[in-house]
Amino acid sequence: MEEAAEIALTVNGETVSARVEARRHLVDFLRLDLGLTGSRLGCEHGVCGACTVRVDGAIVRGCLMLAVQADGADVWTIEGLSDAGEIAGLQDAFVARNALQCGYCTPGMLLTAAEMLKAGRRMTRPEIREFLSGNFCRCTGYHAIVDAIEAVMAERFRD
Amino acid sequence: MTDRPEAAGRPLPRGSARRLAAGRGRYADDLRFPGLLHLAFVRSPHAHARIVKIDPAPALAAVPAAKVFTGADIAAVCTPWQGKMDHLPTLVSPPQHAVAVDRAVWQGEPVAAVAAASRALAEDAAAAVAVEWEPLPAAAVRDRTLDADAAPAHPELGGNLAYAAAIRAGDPEAALAGSAHVVEACFSFARHTGVPLEPRTVIADYDPGEGRLTVHGSHQAPWHQQDTLSRHLGIPEHLVRVVTPDIGGGFGIKLHIYGEEIAVSAVSRILGRPVKYTADRLESFISDIQARDQRVEARMGVDADGAIRGLSVDALSSFGAFASYGRAPVNEGMMTISMAGGPYANGHYEGRLRIAFQNKPPSGMYRAVGQPIACAVTEQLLDRAAHAAGIDPVEMRRRNYWAEDAFPLRTPGGIAMDRLSLRQCLDRLVAMMGYDALRAEQAALRRSGVYRGIGVATFLEMTAIGAERYGPAGARISTQDGATVRLEPSGRVRCVTSVIEIGQGTLSALAQIVADRLGVAPEDVGVVGGDTALAPYGGGAWASRGLTIGGEAAWRAAEGLRANILELAGSILQADPAGLDLAGGAVCDRATGETRITLAEIGRIGHFRQDTLPPGVQPELAVTRHYAPDDVPFALANGVQGSSLEVDAETGGVRLLGHWVVEDCGRIVNPLLVEEQIRGGVVQGIGGALFEECRYDEHGQLLNGSLADYLVPMAAELPDIHVGHVETPLRGTALGAKGAGEAGTVGAPAAVLLAVNDALRPLGAQVSSLPITPEAVLNAIAAAA
Ligand code: FES
Ligand code: FES
């Protein structure tokens, strides 16, 4: 007995309507139904942050939100933010600093970093680390990620 | 000749980084296959149980289109395997089926596979399969598995001892008896696992028409996979192709043969359709290989002046339910007893090892295999001996390192050492971390009740292991890698390699190496790998071998192509190739640097205008070379790590303040990549030191099978990690690179353990079990009070 519902939402600035199973979470919907595979699954229980997406202006864990809950929402993923150029500075810094290895955590990290920039000020390294503490990276040891974000903040928020 | 700096040695960003940062990585789970079925597994809820009956009827009632395969169904098309090593005939491990037949031997072992149109439906059906069990007593407490009354993990083996070994040099008993100070400790290293963020994923597509099997998977050793699939499914090897797309981390977890992954191919073979399995995180915790899990009793004796006189190490190691297949399953234990004491001059040594089965997931190779244990045991005893002898720990190390003129040598543990840079690394580290200032600060803070600790640990990293170690075991693992380097008609260069990229950046480093040999820019070299049908045969990504072996192969292939290009240019220009060179994307005059003909022109003529060449000239614009380490069994890297931390005596919490590493991985091709390998490795080592443990109860039930309960290091708990280098090129290779991938993980647990105990020393407390939990710290303080 598959319960399904009609939803309509905006994904990366485009209107989408679909019929989705009630149990399908937002990232499965993005990945399987829309082919937006940049949002990744690392745990599906809300710990690793690989599934981080932006919903109505704030980052959420896409694995903890059902697709039906996104009805009417404005959803942005790594693909949309990349194309729009909004996170280009962060991406440049991540690349230059080699702040990614396997890259599996990177979309989630970048969305979280973009959220950090919204504060509009330079953060200390401990503050950056604290903000990142919901995003698991098994490869880098975080140091380079902190460096990259710090560099973007230093560039953007000169006092 | 050319004023462009060599690419090798420069911290160039990786070519693939921009793609991955745009979310355009293509990992196995992202791939699409028409007609795909999804596989889910029914798993044993017991650590040890007989399978009385499997009834698929309820599953078919829930999902009528589902297909259920028992162990026997899979065994009909897939033979079982056995974790043996030919040169160790006493090593026993029973046959292992892809899906258990008759008996399950760990909680989580697959006992049936269920295929359906979606993952969700396959899981619905798997949950409905009815299995009748007869639970059996389980061997689930490591330190009791060898007791006479312990339950057997495999009743047919007549005991839990899987393997025993001993190493002996000199007269350790007499040496210890004659020592001015003898220190001893019993260490425990918890069972933990690798937790790559991308779970294991495999898609198998068997085409009955051609009898061809194509597998896409997140795997570090696709050739090993190809060999296993061919032999156990009875498909001729040239019809098996394994492709690795982007891989979301491996760390050793993904180089093993897993029942589920082989079952995916078996089911595809039975159904003639593409079949996929992706582990979820909960499944990863009960089915990924697990590692460490050792108890080590060790003693060290030193003279009054601190010189080591003798060392004794007795290790009890665990395999889980099976010895891992086709690799070197004894290595977690063997590395412990062969690497212990390694950096230090000593002639009297005894190492004993026993390996026992338990009803837990199979153990296998996880980043740094056994070496973190050898390092922590050695370094902790050395610190205690330094304290007993009243010598500063740094000075203690300086006094005990092998003398510079002792190299080359073979340690009592049997490790061949060419030359190391122990003292240089130590001196650099002491300066980098400001050791004296940290000591002064520590003393000052101690007066105000703050417990700071400093740990300095020397490590060795065995990298790029050669055939001398795997060959005699009969492991069908190539320790060789290969590369084909080709000049394209446009003058750009392509390199196809057997090296597997799992995030280290090896492919970018290969581009740098090839670019230098051919006088082009690294961005003009395209490197691809990850396809057993197209790339030269090789090993893949394990044992920190990518650059040392794969890099050397690429260097040699590029060198071969360079000679061919110069020869062809000689024919075209009617010039002596010896007077020509490659630079700036062109063939130039060796003496004057003047451009004679561009590589694009060479490519155009060589590929399209052979008619214009002198008779008998056949352009060869692609060259394949292989390399396996020949004169040394492995490349030994070395270094020193330092940790500064603070222990809260009220809460038992450990706050890391700083971590430093000076390492020598030979010639560095790309410092940006090396440093991040080191940092990532350090953090995995810190995980093992402070957080990570697969916790089982005495019945073999996993107590923390989620990422919420199994603690991994997150950004906020970690310090900045400062990395410095010493470069002692590896002899016998053109490139001179040693591996660097595991160095961080080898030394970090020791540095942290030493620092914690340094902080606890004024309280009279010491810990010797990893992970060092707040509870363990408080218990140690309470016991000392
Ligand atoms: S997949 Fe959502 S938090 Fe891990
Ligand atoms: S780069 Fe691999 S998990 Fe972060």
Side-chain angles (χ1 to χ4, degrees):
Chain A
M1 30 149 230
E2 291 174 23
E3 282 187 53
E6 299 285 343
I7 58 171
L9 64 164
T10 315
V11 178
N12 295 332
E14 289 176 21
T15 313
V16 175
S17 50
R19 185 170 177 80
V20 293
E21 255 190 274
R23 66 178 174 179
R24 177 153 285 195
H25 60 57
L26 178 58
V27 172
D28 268 354
F29 172 67
L30 294 169
R31 291 175 55 82
L32 302 176
D33 297 337
L34 304 187
L36 294 168
T37 54
S39 308
R40 319 223 170 262
L41 294 171
C43 69
E44 289 183 277
H45 47 255
V47 182
C48 74
C51 61
T52 305
V53 291
R54 188 188 286 173
V55 177
D56 292 333
I59 51 171
V60 304
R61 290 174 184 245
C63 73
L64 293 185
M65 181 171 186
L66 294 170
V68 293
Q69 292 174 296
D71 187 25
D74 178 30
V75 176
W76 284 85
T77 69
I78 183 72
E79 289 92 344
L81 293 177
S82 291
D83 290 350
E86 184 192 320
I87 55 171
L90 283 167
Q91 287 166 320
D92 289 346
F94 269 55
V95 170
R97 186 57 194 81
N98 196 33
L100 60 150
Q101 291 182 25
C102 78
Y104 200 82
C105 70
T106 311
M109 286 287 178
L110 286 166
L111 266 85
T112 303
E115 188 86 350
M116 249 183 265
L117 295 182
K118 286 192 196 163
R121 64 175 183 90
R122 288 168 80 156
M123 292 183 179
T124 63
R125 290 178 76 85
E127 283 176 321
I128 295 171
R129 286 181 176 278
E130 197 59 44
F131 207 106
L132 285 177
S133 65
N135 288 74
F136 175 43
C137 174
R138 190 53 152 175
C139 300
T140 63
Y142 307 102
H143 183 121
I145 296 174
V146 177
D147 284 351
I149 296 170
E150 195 180 35
V152 172
M153 287 177 168
E155 169 72 31
R156 198 159 301 181
F157 311 124
R158 286 180 227 262
D159 333 87
Chain B
M1 291 190 290
T2 168
D3 41 12
R4 192 158 47 80
E6 290 230 311
R10 283 161 62 200
L12 301 179
R14 284 157 57 204
S16 59
R18 191 159 289 285
R19 178 174 63 81
L20 298 176
R24 290 174 172 273
R26 288 290 173 265
Y27 304 88
D29 192 48
D30 302 337
L31 307 177
R32 295 290 173 262
F33 297 82
L36 183 72
L37 291 175
H38 297 257
L39 212 57
F41 290 93
V42 181
R43 295 174 181 277
S44 173
H46 304 287
H48 196 187
R50 202 168 71 77
I51 305 163
V52 179
K53 188 170 157 225
I54 296 180
D55 180 7
L60 301 177
V63 183
K67 297 180 176 60
V68 179
F69 302 89
T70 63
D73 296 332
I74 301 294
V77 298
C78 178
T79 54
W81 51 85
Q82 225 171 337
K84 294 198 292 193
M85 300 176 82
D86 290 350
H87 68 313
L88 305 178
T90 57
L91 167 64
V92 291
S93 185
Q96 180 181 3
H97 285 276
V99 173
V101 177
D102 297 334
R103 202 159 51 86
V105 290
W106 82 84
Q107 180 214 16
E109 184 176 13
V111 300
V114 182
S118 73
R119 166 92 198 211
L121 288 173
E123 285 182 358
D124 289 347
V129 171
V131 186
E132 193 181 318
W133 298 98
E134 179 192 329
L136 300 169
V141 181
R142 180 191 63 211
D143 296 350
R144 298 211 299 261
T145 41
L146 293 180
D147 292 355
D149 59 352
H154 298 281
E156 73 275 20
L157 294 183
N160 289 325
L161 184 67
Y163 180 70
I167 298 173
R168 200 182 155 81
D171 187 347
E173 292 83 4
L176 286 163
S179 296
H181 308 279
V182 175
V183 290
E184 58 190 314
C186 180
F187 299 87
S188 177
F189 299 86
R191 178 168 272 261
H192 53 244
T193 185
V195 204
L197 187 52
E198 179 211 22
R200 291 187 293 109
T201 301
V202 61
I203 305 100
D205 190 359
Y206 181 74
D207 169 28
E210 286 188 283
R212 193 182 287 278
L213 176 68
T214 305
V215 173
H216 287 77
S218 185
H219 207 270
Q220 294 172 244
W223 282 271
H224 184 32
Q225 193 86 339
Q226 170 183 300
D227 178 82
T228 305
L229 290 165
S230 168
R231 287 185 302 113
H232 291 280
L233 291 171
I235 302 172
E237 191 164 14
H238 68 291
L239 299 178
V240 180
R241 174 185 183 195
V242 180
V243 182
T244 54
D246 288 323
I247 295 179
F251 319 115
I253 301 306
K254 294 176 180 170
L255 60 77
H256 295 85
I257 298 300
Y258 288 93
E260 297 101 333
E261 298 185 13
I262 304 301
V264 170
S265 287
V267 171
S268 178
R269 173 127 207 232
I270 294 168
L271 299 177
R273 287 179 63 172
V275 177
K276 168 174 167 177
Y277 168 68
T278 302
D280 67 23
R281 184 56 57 194
L282 308 178
E283 290 181 291
S284 300
F285 279 114
I286 52 170
S287 65
D288 283 1
I289 63 97
Q290 299 178 351
R292 313 295 186 251
D293 204 6
Q294 272 185 51
R295 185 189 65 197
V296 181
E297 290 175 68
R299 291 202 300 155
M300 179 184 281
V302 301
D303 278 344
D305 66 357
I308 297 173
R309 291 190 51 112
L311 175 65
S312 158
V313 172
D314 186 357
L316 170 63
S317 178
S318 167
F319 264 169
F322 291 107
S324 63
Y325 176 50
R327 307 290 313 188
V330 300
N331 272 11
E332 189 92 68
M334 284 306 294
M335 287 292 223
T336 301
I337 64 167
S338 60
M339 300 287 275
Y344 303 108
N346 172 34
H348 303 285
Y349 176 69
E350 176 185 44
R352 260 187 86 211
L353 168 68
R354 290 167 303 155
I355 305 177
F357 287 113
Q358 292 186 83
N359 293 110
K360 291 181 185 168
S363 321
M365 327 318 245
Y366 164 53
R367 198 175 199 173
V369 190
Q371 300 174 97
I373 297 176
C375 179
V377 167
T378 306
E379 297 297 315
Q380 182 66 82
L381 289 183
L382 199 62
D383 253 25
R384 291 192 188 185
H387 184 70
I391 299 169
D392 177 83
V394 166
E395 172 60 20
M396 185 75 169
R397 282 161 177 81
R398 211 171 265 132
R399 282 188 199 179
N400 276 291
Y401 286 145
W402 293 105
E404 298 297 336
D405 59 6
F407 300 111
L409 61 89
R410 186 172 288 270
T411 69
I415 302 300
M417 291 180 175
D418 182 15
R419 48 183 175 161
L420 302 178
S421 54
L422 300 166
R423 286 179 178 77
Q424 279 164 278
C425 289
L426 184 67
D427 290 345
R428 280 288 297 282
L429 184 96
V430 164
M432 257 173 67
M433 75 189 288
Y435 180 78
D436 294 335
L438 284 177
R439 281 283 177 220
E441 185 187 35
Q442 175 188 39
L445 286 168
R446 215 160 258 183
R447 286 189 288 276
S448 52
V450 173
Y451 297 93
R452 289 256 170 112
I454 300 159
V456 174
T458 308
F459 65 89
L460 303 175
E461 184 201 1
M462 189 187 280
T463 75
I465 293 169
E468 192 176 300
R469 294 216 136 204
Y470 275 104
R476 297 176 66 85
I477 305 272
S478 180
T479 51
Q480 188 178 54
D481 271 305
T484 299
V485 178
R486 180 169 88 217
L487 185 71
E488 301 289 27
S490 63
R492 302 305 212 284
V493 177
R494 202 185 287 274
C495 172
V496 188
T497 173
S498 64
V499 169
I500 301 302
E501 174 68 58
I502 55 173
Q504 334 86 309
T506 317
L507 300 196
S508 295
L510 295 189
Q512 291 177 256
I513 293 165
V514 169
D516 283 347
R517 295 323 301 151
L518 298 177
V520 299
E523 53 273 23
D524 289 334
V525 181
V527 184
V528 293
D531 187 332
T532 64
L534 299 180
Y537 200 91
W542 44 273
S544 301
R545 63 205 303 284
L547 274 194
T548 314
I549 300 177
E552 186 73 12
W555 194 97
R556 291 176 182 209
E559 189 64 18
L561 178 58
R562 172 192 178 85
N564 290 2
I565 291 171
L566 293 181
E567 197 181 327
L568 181 60
S571 302
I572 296 169
L573 300 168
Q574 296 299 302
D576 178 2
L580 301 173
D581 199 359
L582 295 181
V587 176
C588 59
D589 186 279
R590 180 176 289 277
T592 65
E594 177 200 342
T595 295
R596 300 293 308 276
I597 182 170
T598 62
L599 286 181
E601 192 58 7
I602 294 279
R604 186 187 66 82
I605 296 170
H607 287 292
F608 305 138
R609 293 306 307 272
Q610 298 88 343
D611 59 309
T612 64
L613 296 171
V617 173
Q618 285 289 345
E620 285 288 356
L621 294 180
V623 171
T624 299
R625 290 284 184 275
H626 289 83
Y627 175 73
D630 40 12
D631 45 351
V632 286
F634 45 77
L636 196 62
N638 67 269
V640 182
Q641 298 197 23
S643 168
S644 163
L645 52 76
E646 190 170 306
V647 174
D648 184 329
E650 300 298 318
T651 65
V654 172
R655 190 160 64 93
L656 300 172
L657 301 171
H659 200 101
W660 296 264
V661 183
V662 175
E663 60 76 52
D664 183 346
C665 63
R667 177 153 182 241
I668 293 175
V669 175
N670 185 328
L672 192 60
L673 303 181
V674 168
E675 288 177 12
E676 297 320 314
Q677 279 299 299
I678 300 291
R679 289 196 174 95
V682 162
V683 167
Q684 286 189 14
I686 288 173
L690 296 179
F691 308 114
E692 298 185 40
E693 177 174 13
C694 302
R695 299 169 65 109
Y696 281 87
D697 72 9
E698 75 266 31
H699 305 294
Q701 293 286 322
L702 182 64
L703 303 174
N704 60 341
S706 81
L707 212 44
D709 299 311
Y710 179 101
L711 301 182
V712 287
M714 302 298 274
E717 290 112 44
L718 295 166
D720 282 343
I721 299 162
H722 310 277
V723 182
H725 307 283
V726 170
E727 288 187 67
T728 309
L730 176 66
R731 281 200 269 237
T733 63
L735 203 55
K738 305 175 187 176
E742 296 163 281
T745 310
V746 176
V752 171
L753 173 68
L754 269 54
V756 168
N757 281 329
D758 186 52
L760 290 176
R761 197 162 281 121
L763 294 164
Q766 294 283 277
V767 292
S768 48
S769 293
L770 270 52
I772 307 163
T773 60
E775 188 186 0
V777 169
L778 291 180
N779 286 343
I781 294 172

